């Protein structure tokens, strides 16, 4: 939290509104935040701290922040990550000068000691291709790497997710469709901290089930949005997304209830997978093994280990 707060308060852009949302945290995050804020008195008037009544999860917290924002553009930052000092100034100036609705940018992947640049693969920033790569999981759809004009969040077509997993990409996919001018600034401004114990990376039977449920709900929301816009361009991408969803259950597939969920959540998906030209036979082979009950043997040798 300290690293994150300092990186935000030290931004070279002066005119920023900061919204910090405490999701009923059991640790000392707010205490740390207030202590750090004392070192940046010029930021105090720009800071709003909100305390959720109970732990609500990332999707609800993010929605509260969006609805209570007032800036021309919105960007997000997770509390275990941090940003480069000139990030928001450069992104904002680029957005203004190019009249952008959305500016996407690259990022660093870090374990806290070392970091490497991750370049988003958006060479032409053509709307449909960007949406396709995010739906299919080929690229991250993080709101932390997207400066978005605030008014787009408030378009009446927007559907807000409730489930935490993929909630940010679910929002971004919709906003990309509704945006007119999308640009990619190929510079890394965000530091994504790869935390092995985070919600995204934790591995247990319970976590697999929760991730699966959240992802399925958010995929349904994306389909609903695309259907409302009579859009059939992304059927293959949705197929891949659904495959990624059910495969979240693979580490627990040796238990019959999880096999049945894997098998019957999307009962018509398997014939589509076999016909798909975008999926390799290695992927299809794994699906065939799982379908006939042989995948537990395969995954045993792959060495899945569950968190206690």
């Amino acid at each position: 939290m300290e690293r994150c707060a300092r990186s935000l308060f030290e931004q070279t852009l002066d005119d920023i509104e900061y919204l910090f949302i405490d999701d009923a945290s059991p640790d000392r995050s707010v205490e740390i935040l207030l202590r750090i804020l004392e070192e940046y008195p010029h930021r105090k008037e720009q800071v709003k701290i909100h305390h959720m009544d109970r732990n609500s999860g990332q999707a609800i917290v993010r929605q509260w922040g969006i609805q209570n924002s007032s800036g021309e553009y919105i960007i997000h930052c997770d509390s275990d990550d941090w940003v480069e000092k000139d990030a928001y100034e450069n992104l904002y100036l680029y957005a203004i000068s190019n009249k952008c609705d959305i500016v996407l940018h690259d990022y660093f992947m870090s374990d806290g000691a070392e970091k490497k640049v991750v370049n988003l693969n958006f060479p032409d920033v053509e709307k449909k291709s960007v949406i396709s790569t995010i739906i299919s999981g080929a690229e991250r759809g993080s709101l932390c790497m997207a400066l978005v004009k605030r008014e787009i969040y408030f378009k009446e077509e927007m559907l807000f997710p409730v489930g935490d997993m993929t909630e940010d990409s679910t929002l971004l996919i919709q906003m990309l469709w509704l945006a007119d001018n999308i640009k990619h600034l190929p510079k890394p401004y965000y530091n994504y901290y790869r935390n092995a114990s985070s919600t995204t990376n934790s591995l247990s039977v319970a976590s697999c089930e929760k991730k699966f449920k959240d992802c399925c709900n958010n995929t349904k929301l994306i389909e609903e949005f695309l259907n409302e816009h009579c859009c059939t361009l992304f059927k293959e991408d949705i197929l891949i997304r659904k495959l990624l969803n059910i495969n979240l259950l693979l580490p627990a597939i040796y238990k019959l209830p999880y096999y049945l969920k894997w098998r019957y959540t999307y009962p018509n998906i398997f014939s589509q997978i076999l016909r798909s030209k975008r999926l390799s036979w290695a992927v299809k082979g794994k699906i065939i093994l799982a379908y006939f009950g042989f995948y537990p043997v395969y995954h045993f040798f792959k060495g899945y280990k569950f968190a206690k």
Side-chain angles (χ1 to χ4, degrees):
M1 183 66 207
E2 181 171 342
R3 177 178 58 191
C4 177
R6 287 188 187 281
S7 76
L8 295 173
F9 295 146
E10 291 178 2
Q11 287 297 300
T12 56
L13 181 63
D14 291 328
D15 189 11
I16 302 180
E17 175 186 54
Y18 298 94
L19 291 95
F20 293 93
I21 300 108
D22 172 27
D23 193 21
S25 173
D27 59 23
R28 297 171 47 248
S29 295
V30 175
E31 179 184 331
I32 294 169
L33 173 60
L34 292 173
R35 174 172 57 81
I36 298 302
L37 184 56
E38 288 298 318
E39 300 175 25
Y40 303 89
H42 62 293
R43 294 295 193 190
K44 286 186 177 182
E45 294 298 317
Q46 300 173 333
V47 172
K48 297 178 183 177
I49 300 175
H50 176 74
H51 304 273
M52 302 296 285
D53 295 331
R54 57 185 174 84
N55 183 261
S56 304
Q58 291 132 251
I60 301 301
V61 165
R62 206 182 293 280
Q63 186 173 354
W64 188 95
I66 292 163
Q67 292 174 340
N68 288 275
S69 65
S70 61
E72 184 181 2
Y73 286 86
I74 296 174
I75 197 165
H76 300 250
C77 183
D78 294 339
S79 59
D80 51 354
D81 301 333
W82 68 100
V83 289
E84 300 298 297
K85 289 184 179 182
D86 59 350
Y88 297 151
E89 180 177 17
N90 289 346
L91 288 167
Y92 178 69
L93 292 176
Y94 184 85
I96 293 298
S97 62
N98 290 278
K99 298 180 180 179
C100 298
D101 293 319
I102 299 176
V103 180
L104 305 166
H105 61 88
D106 300 335
Y107 63 99
F108 294 104
M109 181 73 75
S110 175
D111 60 3
E114 298 179 351
K115 60 184 183 180
K116 64 176 182 179
V117 176
V118 180
N119 297 308
L120 297 178
N121 186 24
F122 299 142
D124 53 3
V125 202
E126 194 274 325
K127 179 188 295 190
K128 293 173 186 176
S129 67
V130 174
I131 293 174
S132 172
T133 58
I134 294 175
I135 291 178
S136 65
E139 287 290 354
R140 295 181 64 85
S142 173
L143 293 172
C144 298
M145 286 72 119
L147 183 73
V148 180
K149 207 163 192 177
R150 182 177 179 274
E151 63 189 43
I152 297 179
Y153 278 101
F154 291 88
K155 287 183 179 286
E156 62 180 1
E157 301 99 322
M158 286 292 296
L159 302 174
F160 278 83
V162 176
D164 290 335
M165 289 296 296
T166 68
E167 42 82 28
D168 51 350
S169 65
T170 300
L171 284 173
L172 185 57
I173 288 164
Q174 297 177 72
M175 292 189 294
L176 287 166
W177 181 260
L178 297 171
D180 292 321
N181 187 12
I182 304 164
K183 297 288 186 182
H184 172 217
L185 184 56
K187 293 183 180 180
Y189 289 118
Y190 191 81
N191 292 271
Y192 177 80
Y193 178 50
R194 185 76 174 178
N195 183 357
S197 62
S198 70
T199 303
T200 306
N201 297 317
S202 60
L203 184 63
S204 66
V205 172
S207 69
C208 287
E209 184 171 25
K210 185 182 185 308
K211 292 174 186 177
F212 164 74
K213 181 180 178 181
D214 286 352
C215 289
C216 287
N217 287 339
N218 288 336
T219 298
K220 184 178 179 181
L221 189 149
I222 292 169
E223 282 192 289
E224 181 181 341
F225 174 86
L226 294 175
N227 289 338
E228 278 291 316
H229 291 80
C230 301
C231 179
T232 59
L233 298 171
F234 307 105
K235 284 187 175 181
E236 191 80 357
D237 302 302
I238 291 291
L239 171 67
I240 294 172
R241 194 175 186 93
K242 287 179 176 179
L243 175 58
L244 294 173
N245 292 348
I246 62 172
N247 279 356
L248 290 168
L249 293 173
L250 285 180
I253 203 173
Y254 61 92
K255 293 177 178 285
L256 181 60
Y258 296 101
Y259 171 78
L260 294 176
K261 286 183 180 181
W262 179 89
R263 173 68 179 81
Y264 292 107
T265 296
Y266 305 120
N268 300 320
I269 195 177
F270 300 101
S271 60
Q272 298 173 46
I273 288 170
L274 293 179
R275 292 196 303 269
S276 174
K277 295 180 180 180
R278 286 176 58 182
L279 295 171
S280 69
W281 275 106
V283 171
K284 294 176 183 179
K286 183 189 292 186
I287 298 304
I288 292 170
L289 285 172
Y291 189 92
F292 290 105
F294 296 114
Y295 186 76
V297 176
Y298 173 83
H299 101 72
F300 176 79
F301 288 108
K302 294 291 285 185
Y304 277 117
K305 293 183 179 179
F306 291 104
K308 297 293 184 183

